[in-house]
Amino acid sequence: MRLVRFTPLLLGFVLLMPLTATAQVLDGKSELAANAAIQYWQAFALMPALDKDQEKIVGEWSTVSLDDPAVKKLLETSHNSLMYLHRGAALQKCDWGLDYNDGISMLMPHLGKARDLARLAALDGRRAFENRNWKAGRRDATSMMVLARHINRDPVMIALLVSLGIEGMVVDLVAPYAPDIKASHTDAVTMFEALPPPVTLERSILFEKKWMGGWIVPHLKAEEARQKGAGLELWGKFLDGDAPASLKNMTTIDEVIKLVEDGIPIYDDLARLAALPNDQFAAQYPVFKQKIKAEHPLAALLLPAIDQLRAKEQRNHARLAMLLAGIAVVESGQDKLKELKVPFGPYDYRALDKGFELKSKLLYEGQPVILTIGRRK
Amino acid sequence: MNDHNRLESELAALRPHEPSPQLGQRIADELNSNAPAQARWRSSRAWWSGAMAGGLIAACLAAGLLLGPAPGRNQELAPPLAPLQLPVAVAFDDALPTVWTYNRALSRSARDFESVLDKHAAAASAAGGAAPHLFIQSDMQLLLQGEL
């Protein structure tokens, strides 16, 4: 009799069952939640809305006074946000759900938010290190590195740039405290090699060719098909005040389309150049750039400054390698540098009051890239 | 008076015995023990009705989803759906965090790029207002009452 009473309820549940198919499994976690981006977006949603003073604090996270009540309050209100950062960083997969078909219109609201989240984590990590809470500080640093690599998962050039910025913050966070943390070099290298792999500039350039450069012609044609003259109007929007007159004075959409299509193969040349060793790049790129500027005025408009991006990528690479080398020196002494195979090395060592300095062979904006390990007196 | 009339008179004079106090108590006891059963029966009937209603609603929803709108229905009265493709104009709106906006900023300078990132992150924070309310179990009552 009691079973009969349950029958209509069971019938109702059976009909509703497809809607419950994605419910959480018994351990409280869903497979669908194993996308780090979902955790990061919760972190973004929980970040405090920063006023002007707080924006200044996070912008100056490496120097602001940790005893300032405003800093303490900001970190208190960031606690939940940082928790979700760590949860996201513990996951392998990250998919931001971008639709590359959106081309140059593709919205990337997560970039600015990720940078702010990384700054909050850097501030939190610095406080942890100051309090000699090495474990908490290292967790912040590791999560920031993973976030950087997850941002870079989509090979869009601006994502690469934000990713490099966050990795730079990690170096700035850890380097001053490396002599106190006394981490194992082997463990540090293992952690570093376990990170999601970075996307290279070369791959970003080829991605931009397909999804950004490749977006333009179909949309010009579609606009022109929608309404005569609308294609040229759209073309006008691409041109800012500095665009060459030859581009502004185009009178037919067919001229514009031919110009764009002729410019697309330049991406392949850029990708090839970006992958060259430094000396060859330094020799070939300036000549290439001049040639392109004269023959393809569109290139200057559409193609990003590859030389600047490449320089930043290399500087970041050098600084990360120097940080790892610095950890090895703290552990085993400066003679350890002779054994390490490092990019842009060998590094020159110079002792300081409370630490030391490593200088690489890489030049950035004309100056050698240097990393200070430990804090100056 | 004949015998029949006398019998009738005797019968008419008969009165039932007054119920004993014990009988009254037994009836009261019986009524009290049946009350939960009756309440359960009423509750069971309400549950049955609710489950059936829920099942029927689910069936109607499923049918509606599977069968779709009938042809010729007045769809033009429904409000237009938001487009699934981004309008081209979005690319050139500096207030939006698009690839084009960031690329143009970067082509001007790295500082410009950083400023635009800051601007968009701040705009998102301002739009979102204060940190979102964290719903907890005790909010359930408020939700049920429609307070939120």
Side-chain angles (χ1 to χ4, degrees):
Chain A
M1 278 299 284
R2 288 196 179 182
L3 187 61
V4 168
R5 287 183 191 170
F6 276 103
T7 301
L9 189 61
L10 284 173
L11 187 65
F13 276 130
V14 164
L15 289 167
L16 287 167
M17 195 175 289
L19 299 176
T20 61
T22 55
Q24 287 200 340
V25 295
L26 289 174
D27 66 353
K29 292 178 189 173
S30 159
E31 280 182 16
L32 293 174
N35 176 5
I38 293 177
Q39 304 301 317
Y40 293 139
W41 269 110
Q42 292 184 80
F44 299 158
L46 290 165
M47 277 200 299
L50 302 176
D51 59 31
K52 286 284 176 207
D53 292 333
Q54 289 170 328
E55 280 175 16
K56 193 166 186 292
I57 289 172
V58 292
E60 295 171 4
W61 65 266
S62 60
T63 53
V64 72
S65 168
L66 295 172
D67 294 324
D68 186 342
V71 172
K72 291 180 181 176
K73 183 161 183 264
L74 178 60
L75 285 173
E76 272 168 38
T77 54
S78 303
H79 175 77
N80 290 331
S81 182
L82 292 175
M83 180 188 75
Y84 278 101
L85 164 65
H86 300 315
R87 285 186 179 181
L91 298 171
Q92 283 292 318
K93 294 180 191 167
C94 185
D95 190 334
W96 296 98
L98 302 180
D99 187 347
Y100 300 157
N101 291 297
D102 288 338
I104 62 169
S105 302
M106 188 166 69
L107 291 157
M108 304 186 76
H110 59 293
L111 295 184
K113 302 301 279 183
R115 200 171 65 125
D116 276 352
L117 181 61
R119 286 166 165 175
L120 282 172
L123 183 62
D124 188 70
R126 185 174 150 232
R127 180 179 64 171
F129 284 149
E130 281 292 327
N131 292 335
R132 305 186 71 82
N133 188 345
W134 311 125
K135 195 173 171 188
R138 282 160 70 169
R139 185 177 64 170
D140 283 325
T142 305
S143 294
M144 286 165 66
M145 274 302 295
V146 176
L147 173 64
R149 296 293 171 90
H150 281 161
I151 287 287
N152 194 213
R153 184 224 170 250
D154 296 290
V156 186
M157 267 189 223
I158 49 174
L160 170 60
L161 205 51
V162 171
S163 171
L164 293 176
I166 295 174
E167 291 192 9
M169 277 188 231
V170 174
V171 175
D172 292 337
L173 169 63
V174 176
Y177 301 97
D180 300 310
I181 298 171
K182 293 187 171 60
S184 148
H185 178 248
T186 305
D187 289 349
V189 169
T190 302
M191 186 279 296
F192 187 74
E193 288 174 352
L195 292 170
V199 168
T200 61
L201 178 59
E202 184 190 350
R203 187 168 157 218
S204 283
I205 293 170
L206 294 173
F207 172 90
E208 298 261 334
K209 173 190 172 186
K210 180 176 179 185
W211 295 106
M212 305 302 154
W215 178 93
I216 299 173
V217 167
H219 281 76
L220 286 173
K221 287 181 178 174
E223 280 292 288
E224 193 66 17
R226 181 182 66 79
Q227 183 181 329
K228 196 165 169 54
L232 268 181
E233 201 179 312
L234 172 59
W235 172 244
K237 290 192 168 108
F238 281 101
L239 308 176
D240 56 22
D242 296 333
S246 57
L247 295 182
K248 290 182 184 175
N249 295 339
M250 298 211 142
T251 53
T252 69
I253 194 63
D254 290 335
E255 268 185 290
V256 171
I257 287 172
K258 185 172 185 325
L259 180 79
V260 175
E261 286 175 341
D262 285 350
I264 295 296
I266 296 172
Y267 282 101
D268 296 316
D269 294 326
L270 279 173
R272 181 184 54 77
L273 281 167
L276 286 174
N278 275 4
D279 54 345
Q280 293 178 41
F281 180 85
Q284 295 183 33
Y285 183 74
V287 173
F288 171 81
K289 195 173 172 182
Q290 281 298 110
K291 180 170 174 270
I292 290 304
K293 207 171 164 182
E295 293 175 11
H296 293 279
L298 180 63
L301 193 69
L302 291 181
L303 301 176
I306 298 300
D307 48 350
Q308 289 179 38
L309 276 166
R310 190 171 181 279
K312 282 188 189 302
E313 188 187 45
Q314 291 197 328
R315 176 175 179 262
N316 184 67
H317 188 198
R319 292 182 83 231
L320 281 170
M322 285 196 284
L323 177 61
L324 289 174
I327 290 171
V329 169
V330 168
E331 187 180 30
S332 310
Q334 71 178 90
D335 286 343
K336 185 72 175 175
L337 286 173
K338 296 174 190 164
E339 300 170 26
L340 298 174
K341 285 195 173 63
V342 292
F344 313 110
Y347 304 143
D348 296 326
Y349 173 94
R350 184 167 78 100
L352 299 173
D353 303 324
K354 278 190 176 185
F356 54 93
E357 197 178 77
L358 294 178
K359 184 162 85 172
S360 74
K361 301 293 182 282
L362 177 69
L363 293 181
Y364 179 75
E365 294 180 348
Q367 299 295 321
V369 176
I370 293 172
L371 184 65
T372 302
I373 304 291
R375 286 166 284 180
R376 290 184 186 277
K377 201 171 180 182
Chain B
M1 188 184 288
N2 57 24
D3 285 347
H4 181 71
N5 288 340
R6 192 167 46 245
L7 179 60
E8 195 175 7
S9 299
E10 284 179 10
L11 287 173
L14 286 174
R15 289 287 176 272
H17 279 291
E18 287 294 325
S20 66
Q22 293 84 356
L23 175 62
Q25 187 56 48
R26 285 206 300 275
I27 291 172
D29 290 345
E30 193 64 31
L31 283 172
N32 286 336
S33 68
N34 280 342
Q38 284 179 351
R40 281 198 300 274
W41 171 238
R42 280 195 290 273
S43 160
S44 168
R45 280 202 306 178
W47 197 27
W48 175 295
S49 304
M52 283 296 291
L56 283 170
I57 289 168
C60 290
L61 282 173
L65 286 169
L66 288 170
L67 298 174
R73 201 167 284 179
N74 291 333
Q75 292 186 331
E76 65 271 18
L77 294 180
L81 293 174
L84 292 177
Q85 272 191 319
L86 281 171
V88 167
V90 162
F92 306 103
D93 185 349
D94 284 347
L96 294 176
T98 64
V99 170
W100 183 253
T101 298
Y102 287 135
N103 277 353
R104 295 315 298 151
L106 183 60
S107 69
R108 291 189 291 271
S109 70
R111 188 187 292 272
D112 254 8
F113 175 62
E114 299 273 330
S115 296
V116 170
L117 275 176
D118 285 336
K119 184 179 94 170
H120 289 150
S125 293
H133 175 79
L134 297 176
F135 284 94
I136 52 178
Q137 188 66 18
S138 59
D139 289 329
M140 181 93 70
Q141 288 304 316
L142 294 173
L143 285 168
L144 289 170
Q145 292 165 18
E147 286 295 327
L148 296 176

